[in-house]
């Protein structure tokens, strides 16, 4: 299959110039190319430039339009039962996320709704979310477990994620987040639950190849740094790569552990300290920030400026989940990153593409428009890609190109 995208106004390539991510000031450059077409063969970008049309080649005239890489959403909890609008209203009346969690709400509320929902329903509800995400431009995403919190239900979620991985158009990466919270039945003996994670779930996940990453919610009221270290050590033995939720509610040393373990990414970082920013800036661990969370929790936004100025590779993600981010749209996330986290529009695009792919360890294949990469691209009906975060309620993406196939959305 051959395809030429002809006469775009510009192509924001988001190329990292041979590196796996863009760090610090490199994030200001979106690698804009003008006066070029894109030639795609069998789902791979073959040429960027003025291309002679070969025989049997589909031509898509994209005059007046801009092309950007498909968005990668590297942190979602897209499979869950129920919703939590009541907690949203409770927080608006002054209760905090931690107070609601300590009273048995929060994650544990979604756990009980998820446990009672059959796998087929969880899967079909998530499939609808993924379709919406694709229409907003997300061509690859991560899905975490973490609302099962016992053997049977964590496996149910991982199996649903793997079924979605088979049947969905976007690429899907699966993360095991059994360490999302201590389940109510082990409230008074957390050690037993940690042993279920390390000695039962992780070996089974390895045997059945159910996940690529392991994540731990390392924060006040959830898992300590020492517990995270044990769980992540066991996950390495099971062949999984490391991610962490850290510094969302407090600064407790999780980032230093992520750097020490050479985690692929460390996510949240609303309360990261200056020393931790320094450590992260000197590492290859991607800093994933989730701007919708601060908006939903009325909290402090992650210090994107300090992270970028400190030399970090910053990525953006939706954190789609029923508690702290009912956001499935990376254009909205880019808007929030610019307005709340004070990123530039150029930084927000690199953070939603090449650096987001790096946060999944996939930037050798995804996240930028370069010869040899997978042809995942968005055709934007605007002469400047800034239109995407600027008017995020209107979807200006007319076509998503996924693996070289043109999908139409408006
Ligand atoms: O990334 N912080 C932990 N996990 C989610 C929240 C999950 C929930 O509240 O259901 C997050 O924000
Ligand atoms: Fe999360």
């Amino acid at each position: 299959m051959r395809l030429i995208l002809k006469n775009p106004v510009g192509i924001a390539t988001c190329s990292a110039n041979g590196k796996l991510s863009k760090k610090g000031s490199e994030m200001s450059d979106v690698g804009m190319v003008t006066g070029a077409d894109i030639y795609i063969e069998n789902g791979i970008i073959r040429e960027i430039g003025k291309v002679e049309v070969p025989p049997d080649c589909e031509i898509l005239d994209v005059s007046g339009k801009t092309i950007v890489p498909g968005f990668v959403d590297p942190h979602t909890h897209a499979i869950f039962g129920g919703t939590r609008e009541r907690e949203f209203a409770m927080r608006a009346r002054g209760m905090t996320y931690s107070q609601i969690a300590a009273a048995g709400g929060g994650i544990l509320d979604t756990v009980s709704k998820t446990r009672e929902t059959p796998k087929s329903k969880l899967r079909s509800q998530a499939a609808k979310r993924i379709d919406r995400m694709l229409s907003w431009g997300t061509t690859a995403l991560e899905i975490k477990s973490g609302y099962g919190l016992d053997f049977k239900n964590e496996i149910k979620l991982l199996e649903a994620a793997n079924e979605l991985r088979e049947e969905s158009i976007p690429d899907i990466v699966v993360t095991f987040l059994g360490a999302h919270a201590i389940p109510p039945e082990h409230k008074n003996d957390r050690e037993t639950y940690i042993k279920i994670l390390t000695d039962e779930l992780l070996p089974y996940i390895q045997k059945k190849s159910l996940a690529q990453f392991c994540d731990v919610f390392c924060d006040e009221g959830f898992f300590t740094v020492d517990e995270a270290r044990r769980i992540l050590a066991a996950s390495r033995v099971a062949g999984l790569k490391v991610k962490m939720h850290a510094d969302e509610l407090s600064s407790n040393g999780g980032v230093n552990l992520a750097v020490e373990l050479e985690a692929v990414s460390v996510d949240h970082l609303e309360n990261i300290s200056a020393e931790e920013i320094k450590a992260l800036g000197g590492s290859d661990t991607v800093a994933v920030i989730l701007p919708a969370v601060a908006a939903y929790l009325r909290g402090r936004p992650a210090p994107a400026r300090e992270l970028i100025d400190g030399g970090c590779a910053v990525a953006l993600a939706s954190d789609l989940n029923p508690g702290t981010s009912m956001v499935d749209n990376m254009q909205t996330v880019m808007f929030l990153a610019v307005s709340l986290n004070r990123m530039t529009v150029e930084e927000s695009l690199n953070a939603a593409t090449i650096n987001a792919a790096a946060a999944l360890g996939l930037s050798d294949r995804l996240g930028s428009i370069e010869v040899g990469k997978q042809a995942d691209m968005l055709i934007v009906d605007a002469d400047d890609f800034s239109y995407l975060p600027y008017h995020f309620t209107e979807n200006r993406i007319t076509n998503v190109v996924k693996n070289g196939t043109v999908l139409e959305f408006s």
Side-chain angles (χ1 to χ4, degrees), residues 185-202:
E185 61 274 21
H186 292 296
K187 194 167 82 186
N188 299 318
D189 72 294
R190 39 198 303 132
E191 192 50 35
T192 305
Y193 183 61
I194 292 169
K195 285 232 164 68
I196 293 173
L197 297 176
T198 57
D199 299 3
E200 296 177 31
L201 273 159
L202 280 166

Side-chain angles (χ1 to χ4, degrees), residues 76-89 91 97 100 105-114 122 125 129 144-147 180 293 296-297 318-328:
T76 88
H77 307 250
I79 309 181
F80 54 84
T83 52
R84 304 216 308 263
E85 60 278 24
R86 283 183 190 82
E87 289 182 10
F88 179 69
R91 285 196 302 275
Y97 183 78
I100 293 170
I107 292 171
L108 296 184
D109 182 63
T110 299
V111 168
S112 67
K113 290 168 180 157
T114 303
L122 290 168
Q125 288 173 338
R129 293 178 193 124
K144 301 178 194 292
S145 69
Y147 290 124
H180 199 190
V293 174
Y296 270 77
L297 300 187
S318 68
D319 197 17
L320 170 60
N321 77 80
T324 66
S325 177
M326 275 298 258
V327 172
D328 53 17

Side-chain angles (χ1 to χ4, degrees), residues 46 65 95 111 123 153 163 173 176 204 206 214 223 230 236 238 258 270 289 300 328 336 338 347 362 385 404:
R46 293 290 175 210
K65 297 177 180 169
M95 258 180 112
V111 168
R123 191 183 76 192
N153 285 290
E163 289 164 17
V173 169
F176 172 54
Y204 185 84
Q206 178 178 31
C214 183
F223 291 85
R230 280 172 56 202
R236 286 206 154 162
E270 287 85 348
I289 64 170
R300 174 213 297 239
D328 53 17
L336 291 170
V338 171
E347 288 166 348
L362 295 178
F385 71 87

Side-chain angles (χ1 to χ4, degrees), residues 27 30 71 308 314-316 330-331 333-338 343-353 385 389:
M27 288 185 66
V30 296
F71 296 135
I308 294 172
V314 173
L316 289 171
M330 289 297 282
Q331 299 179 45
V333 172
M334 287 166 69
F335 164 74
L336 291 170
V338 171
M343 285 170 74
T344 66
V345 170
E346 290 76 14
E347 288 166 348
S348 78
L349 184 66
N350 282 316
T353 56
F385 71 87

